[in-house]
């Protein structure tokens, strides 16, 4: 048994020795593992657009420089490219750099922006810290367009005056879609005036949300003849309507409201009235709309609310479902009988 174990041991030793000799003679060559140099710093570009922005907005971009090597650096130059629909606001601001550092150059034009930040004193190389710099663009383009700001070139000079060989560039939310600031209009149906001169009233509301306050900064409805946003109502007899109800429909009554019927803290109410209603069975089709343009001098566009159809009889029947006043019930029945 001992002889057998010794024999196996000697065989293994011989095999190992043969392998070592083969390697030494160049018989087997293992691949070389490259040494990967880590980046000198990581630079990231992001914006506060969150995927979209309204025409007329300012979008803020932030460039963050992190993971700077211990040797530190004394100067950074960043070139950006930006879309045609963006106007640079010339407002570069640096956050987190020591004394002696400043923005030594900001140049822009032809869809290119260059920012140079450096240690002008030459005594405070940046090391062991991160910093940000911000700037903004005004959005000046039609809704639905894609806008972006991207890195074109990044150059870092280290504390020894040498150019950094590699910088890691990242982007996040640097592209967005523009939207027009169009308030939402709601069709609230029709009501009846049931005195001696019966009338049908067609109503709409506009929510006082962020979009509304963009158009009306005071929070209250008021506009001039050349306002960029206007509200209106389309009304037509159902028998005369062919196809979709829009501002170009033949025989349509197109009303632009000059004042609100009522206003609350949450909404503005507009009403268009048809006086002296005689045919209580006649159906009217009506639809609210917003007339808007994205900049002064541009052509107006239209955004529409829901389409509804009402007659005086229909409105009276609906009112009778909840009315408790005997006098009003008697008057409403005149529209139903």
């Amino acid at each position: 048994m001992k002889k057998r174990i010794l024999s196996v041991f000697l065989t293994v030793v011989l095999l190992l020795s043969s392998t070592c000799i083969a390697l030494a003679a160049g018989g087997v060559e293992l691949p070389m593992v490259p040494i990967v140099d880590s980046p000198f710093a990581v630079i990231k570009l992001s914006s506060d657009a969150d995927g979209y922005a309204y025409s007329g907005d300012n979008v803020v971009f932030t460039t963050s420089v992190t993971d700077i090597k211990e040797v530190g650096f004394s100067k950074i130059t960043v070139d950006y490219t930006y879309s045609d629909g963006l106007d640079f606001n010339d407002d570069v601001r640096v956050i987190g750099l020591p004394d002696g550092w400043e923005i030594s150059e900001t140049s822009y034009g032809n869809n290119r922006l260059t920012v140079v930040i450096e240690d002008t004193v030459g005594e405070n190389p940046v090391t062991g810290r991160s910093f940000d710099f911000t700037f903004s663009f005004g959005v000046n383009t039609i809704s639905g367009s894609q806008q972006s700001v991207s890195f074109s070139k990044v150059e870092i000079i280290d504390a020894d005056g040498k150019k950094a060989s590699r910088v890691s560039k990242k982007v996040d939310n640097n592209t967005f879609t523009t939207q027009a600031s169009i308030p939402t209009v709601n069709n609230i149906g029709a009501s009846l005036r049931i005195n001696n001169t019966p009338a049908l009233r067609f109503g709409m509301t506009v929510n006082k949300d962020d979009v509304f306050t963009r158009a009306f900064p005071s929070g209250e409805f008021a506009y001039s003849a050349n306002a960029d946003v206007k509200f209106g109502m389309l009304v037509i007899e159902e028998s005369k309507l062919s196809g979709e109800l829009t501002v170009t429909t033949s025989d349509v009554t197109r009303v632009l409201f000059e004042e609100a019927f009522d206003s609350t803290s949450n909404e503005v109410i507009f009403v268009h009235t048809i006086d002296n209603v005689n045919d209580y069975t006649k159906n009217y089709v009506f639809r609210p709309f917003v007339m808007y343009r994205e900049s002064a001098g541009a052509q107006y566009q239209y955004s529409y609310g829901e389409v509804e159809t009402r007659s005086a009889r229909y409105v009276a029947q609906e009112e009778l479902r909840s009315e408790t006043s005997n006098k009003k019930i008697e008057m409403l029945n005149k529209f139903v009988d």
Side-chain angles (χ1 to χ4, degrees), residues 170-190:
K170 299 180 180 180
V171 294
D172 178 40
N173 199 32
N174 67 315
T175 300
F176 57 90
T177 303
T178 59
Q179 296 184 356
S181 299
I182 311 171
T184 301
V185 294
N186 307 293
N187 193 329
I188 58 173

Side-chain angles (χ1 to χ4, degrees), residues 56-108:
D57 274 356
N58 284 321
V59 176
V60 177
F61 287 83
T62 300
T63 302
S64 300
V65 184
T66 62
D67 301 326
I68 303 166
K69 279 192 172 181
E70 291 184 2
V71 65
F73 74 95
S74 58
K75 181 179 180 180
I76 181 171
T77 302
V78 186
D79 288 339
Y80 306 86
T81 56
Y82 57 88
S83 301
D84 288 335
L86 300 179
D87 296 326
F88 182 55
N89 290 324
D90 197 8
D91 58 351
V92 180
R93 187 168 72 95
V94 181
I95 306 167
L97 282 176
D99 293 339
W101 281 79
E102 63 181 44
I103 303 165
S104 61
E105 179 187 343
T106 301
S107 60
Y108 57 94

Side-chain angles (χ1 to χ4, degrees), residues 21 89 117 159 161 208 212 235 252-254 280 298 321:
I21 293 170
N89 290 324
I117 303 171
K208 286 186 175 179
F212 180 86
V235 182
V252 69
T253 298
R254 176 175 172 270
Y280 303 150
R321 295 178 186 273

Side-chain angles (χ1 to χ4, degrees), residues 187 189-190 202 234-235 245 284-287 306-310:
N187 193 329
F202 306 101
L234 304 176
V235 182
L245 180 58
Y284 293 90
V285 184
F286 56 103
R287 188 181 199 181
E306 294 181 346
V307 177
E308 297 288 355
T309 303
R310 296 289 188 272

